[in-house]
Amino acid sequence: MPSRTATATVIATGTLALAALVASASTVAAASSANTAGAGGGASSQSAVVARAAAVDRCSYQVVRSDDSRYAYSVSAVSADGSTRELPLQKEDFVRIADVWRKVMQVDACAGGRGRALAALRVTGKLEQPEHYEPSVPRTIRSSDVKPATASVIPKAPALKSVDRLEARTVRVTWEPAQGDPDQVLLMETKPFYSSEVGIWHPYTFQRNAPAGATSMDRTLERDPGIPAEVRAHSYWMRAVKDGFVSDLRDEKPVTIEP
């Protein structure tokens, strides 16, 4: 993880999966402890995924979970009779909540015309490329069954009002005041980022913590002549976090500006 991501105000996310590695460190340790306690060689660990859930609306549910980057994850609906069905993914992202990286997944419970109420949600992780791991590494990890909280726990992100150019290299991003007293308001920024490891510019998304009560932030545009035309654009949108849940990812509509 680059050193810039260790600050309280600049938090980089996901296109290089560096955030995923940071998030997975504590989860790997927890999974290891769980495996030692109960799961033998190749057996599944039933509590290796820490998850919580809430309804976003009648059909969409948000699941906030821990992450071990060795696994591919899915979310299943658990019915009152104990039967399960996997739910289609609507959107997902890494978010830093209370200084811990979590993966936020939003899933569709009404896909295929199914609107039946669910009793709980369950997260399952399947080990990717198992041939690269010892048999003692669980091939399947799961969360406990999680009863979703009501939609009232999902915070509302403040509306982004404008992205105004102050001068050639600076823009001011302005948003409406936050409603509902969220724990944190985030200005999301995607911009070109130079990776020294592979020697290329690529789009990279940052989470900028907005100070309490703030409704604007000035940002500097990347204008290096070596940035390829296809990755020059900068995009901004808002996000809110409260009590471990995140505003509806589907409502995020980035405003884009060319440098």
Side-chain angles (χ1 to χ4, degrees), residues 155-158 177-186 212 239-243 245:
K156 298 293 185 184
Q179 303 296 317
D181 193 26
D183 297 329
Q184 185 64 60
V185 172
L186 304 172
R239 183 175 285 174
V241 178
K242 185 172 184 179
D243 296 332
F245 291 104

Side-chain angles (χ1 to χ4, degrees), residues 54-64 89-93 95 104-108 151-159 182 184 186 188 237-242 244-254:
V56 182
D57 52 37
R58 188 179 66 84
C59 287
S60 179
Y61 289 85
Q62 183 177 113
V63 177
V64 182
L89 180 67
Q90 292 174 322
K91 201 165 184 180
E92 64 180 350
D93 200 1
V95 179
V104 178
M105 306 173 70
Q106 290 191 191
V107 293
D108 185 1
S152 62
V153 305
I154 301 295
K156 298 293 185 184
Q184 185 64 60
L186 304 172
M188 306 298 295
W237 65 99
M238 304 306 298
R239 183 175 285 174
V241 178
K242 185 172 184 179
F245 291 104
V246 182
S247 50
D248 190 346
L249 301 182
R250 300 166 306 168
D251 285 347
E252 296 174 342
K253 297 176 175 58

Side-chain angles (χ1 to χ4, degrees), residues 212-253:
T215 56
S216 69
M217 188 180 295
D218 292 354
R219 302 303 314 144
T220 300
L221 303 176
E222 295 289 348
R223 295 170 62 87
D224 189 293
I227 301 174
E230 62 271 19
V231 300
R232 285 184 177 274
H234 293 55
S235 297
Y236 302 92
W237 65 99
M238 304 306 298
R239 183 175 285 174
V241 178
K242 185 172 184 179
D243 296 332
F245 291 104
V246 182
S247 50
D248 190 346
L249 301 182
R250 300 166 306 168
D251 285 347
E252 296 174 342
K253 297 176 175 58

Side-chain angles (χ1 to χ4, degrees), residues 32-180:
S32 177
S33 298
N35 300 338
T36 302
S44 64
S45 172
Q46 294 297 313
S47 301
V49 183
V50 178
R52 60 190 312 194
V56 182
D57 52 37
R58 188 179 66 84
C59 287
S60 179
Y61 289 85
Q62 183 177 113
V63 177
V64 182
R65 63 166 173 80
S66 56
D67 186 73
D68 181 334
S69 59
R70 300 174 299 177
Y71 293 84
Y73 294 85
S74 61
V75 177
S76 297
V78 182
S79 300
D81 61 4
S83 61
T84 63
R85 58 188 175 92
E86 186 173 333
L87 302 179
L89 180 67
Q90 292 174 322
K91 201 165 184 180
E92 64 180 350
D93 200 1
F94 281 102
V95 179
R96 188 161 184 161
I97 301 173
D99 294 327
V100 177
W101 283 103
R102 297 297 188 199
K103 192 65 171 286
V104 178
M105 306 173 70
Q106 290 191 191
V107 293
D108 185 1
C110 294
R114 299 189 182 187
R116 182 176 52 180
L118 51 84
L121 292 165
R122 181 186 304 160
V123 180
T124 301
K126 299 287 187 181
L127 185 67
E128 297 187 296
Q129 299 179 319
E131 66 277 8
H132 294 169
Y133 298 94
E134 295 294 328
S136 59
V137 177
R139 271 43 186 169
T140 301
I141 58 176
R142 297 186 181 89
S143 71
S144 58
D145 289 356
V146 181
K147 184 175 178 60
T150 63
S152 62
V153 305
I154 301 295
K156 298 293 185 184
L160 193 151
K161 292 173 61 177
S162 64
V163 180
D164 302 310
R165 194 181 298 270
L166 301 182
E167 46 88 17
R169 293 196 59 179
T170 306
V171 295
R172 176 165 295 165
V173 184
T174 305
W175 58 89
E176 299 284 352
Q179 303 296 317

